[in-house]
Amino acid sequence: MARYLLVALISFMLILNVLGSASFTVINKCNHTVWPAILSNPTTGVSPLITTGFQLQKDESKNVTVPLPWTGRLWGRTNCGKNSTGGFSCVTGDCGSGKLECSGRYGQPPTTLAEFSLAAADTERDFYDVSFVLGFNLPMLVVPESGNCTTTGCAMNLNGVCPNELKELSQDGIRVGCRSACEALREPQYCCTGAYNTPNTCKPTPYSEFFKNACPRAYSYAYDDDTGTFTCASTNYVITFCPPLPTIKKPTENPEAAAPAGGGESLDPVSSSSSPMSVSFVQFLGGAVSLFISTKMFGHVPPKKK
């Protein structure tokens, strides 16, 4: 058996040397454990990766090698453990395998998705996005290691400001996700189906705009290609769950009052109003986070996608 495993490993490494490879560095900055999952797109004929699911405790990271070309999805699962039958399951993002690793089925919504098409055949470039088409369960940023490419995703935790009709609650009543309007309401205008199945007929809705106002670079509905999908020359990617939010100083009544060193109060979206009408708050915070990501964390403002 050991000899067969060695032969398989050598064959895999030879394939990587011929076709090339990319790497995903997956980091968990959440205050709780996350169980990332990663699946190849079965319709493209891409073989499954060696790792399709794993556990990351707070501040842990894992490097995943991806042979090129490759198309697939990566997402985070939450509140995982043994279910009543002894199998492995998760409250959000569960892939139905009953095991830590996933096989053949993408995560149960709501899930924040990172989608990739690496070294695409027609262009030999990467295409990537962070999508809310299946809802939201975790903040996530995708950062290309190439300095000339756009960082995308969402650093905000939208679960606490999710419109009431989109909220996903655990069995004990805790907010664990924010569903997409398609998943929650099942109407053609939200799912871009039926008479709404073209870019000309399916337009943004107040629900997709809720996501877009909070996180302008994320993919907010089925035809959000112009502002939600990005491209880069082949590179590696850092994918962070719950990336740190900027610290924003609160205004004071006394303008001469000295601010504490390194001061300010960390703005926590989860503790804010969950009213669906609080779009102005979401838009303000989303803009602040977007500007912070562009200028502080990565040193440049990525060009707008044309």
Side-chain angles (χ1 to χ4, degrees), residues 22 42 52 65 73 83 86 102 106 132 139 181 183-184 190 197 209 234 251 255 272 295 303:
T52 58
T65 299
R73 294 176 172 181
N83 56 28
C102 294
Y106 292 131
F132 298 146
E183 288 288 330
Y190 303 127
N197 67 344
E209 288 177 347
S234 297
S272 306
T295 59

Side-chain angles (χ1 to χ4, degrees), residues 25-36 55-62 138 239-243:
T25 301
V26 187
I27 304 171
N28 177 23
K29 287 296 182 180
C30 301
N31 290 322
H32 53 80
T33 303
V34 173
W35 289 262
Q55 174 180 300
L56 288 181
Q57 296 181 355
K58 176 179 168 57
D59 293 328
E60 282 190 331
S61 65
K62 183 177 180 65
L138 286 169
I239 301 155
T240 304
F241 293 105
C242 305

Side-chain angles (χ1 to χ4, degrees), residues 67-214:
L68 299 177
W70 184 83
T71 301
R73 294 176 172 181
L74 185 150
W75 69 96
R77 296 169 288 176
T78 64
N79 300 97
C80 300
K82 288 187 177 181
N83 56 28
S84 58
T85 62
F88 180 84
S89 64
C90 304
V91 173
T92 68
D94 188 71
C95 59
S97 67
K99 301 176 181 179
L100 176 62
E101 299 215 0
C102 294
S103 57
R105 198 184 88 179
Y106 292 131
Q108 178 67 27
T111 52
T112 311
L113 287 176
E115 301 179 300
F116 296 90
S117 180
L118 304 181
D122 294 339
T123 64
E124 296 186 356
R125 293 181 64 83
D126 297 345
F127 294 84
Y128 58 98
D129 66 72
V130 171
S131 173
F132 298 146
V133 171
L134 295 181
F136 173 99
N137 69 333
L138 286 169
M140 178 197 291
L141 282 185
V142 172
V143 183
E145 289 190 355
S146 172
N148 296 323
C149 298
T150 301
T151 293
T152 188
C154 188
M156 290 179 61
N157 189 339
L158 301 181
N159 292 335
V161 292
C162 181
N164 288 328
E165 54 270 43
L166 304 185
K167 288 179 182 177
E168 179 79 5
L169 303 178
S170 64
Q171 290 183 347
D172 51 4
I174 297 175
R175 289 175 289 188
V176 294
C178 188
R179 292 182 290 172
S180 69
C182 176
E183 288 288 330
L185 305 176
R186 299 292 182 178
E187 295 289 342
Q189 64 267 35
Y190 303 127
C191 298
C192 295
T193 57
Y196 299 89
N197 67 344
T198 69
N200 291 331
T201 58
C202 195
K203 301 297 184 181
T205 69
Y207 295 110
S208 68
E209 288 177 347
F210 159 78
F211 289 112
K212 200 66 175 180
N213 286 333

Side-chain angles (χ1 to χ4, degrees), residues 125 128 141-153 216-218 226-232 286-306:
R125 293 181 64 83
Y128 58 98
L141 282 185
V142 172
V143 183
E145 289 190 355
S146 172
N148 296 323
C149 298
T150 301
T151 293
T152 188
R217 292 196 182 101
D226 288 344
T227 62
T229 301
F230 302 92
T231 184
C232 187
V289 171
S290 178
L291 180 62
F292 173 81
I293 291 170
S294 299
T295 59
K296 299 296 183 184
M297 293 177 69
F298 308 111
H300 71 287
V301 178
K304 293 183 178 178
K305 183 178 174 62
K306 296 181 179 179

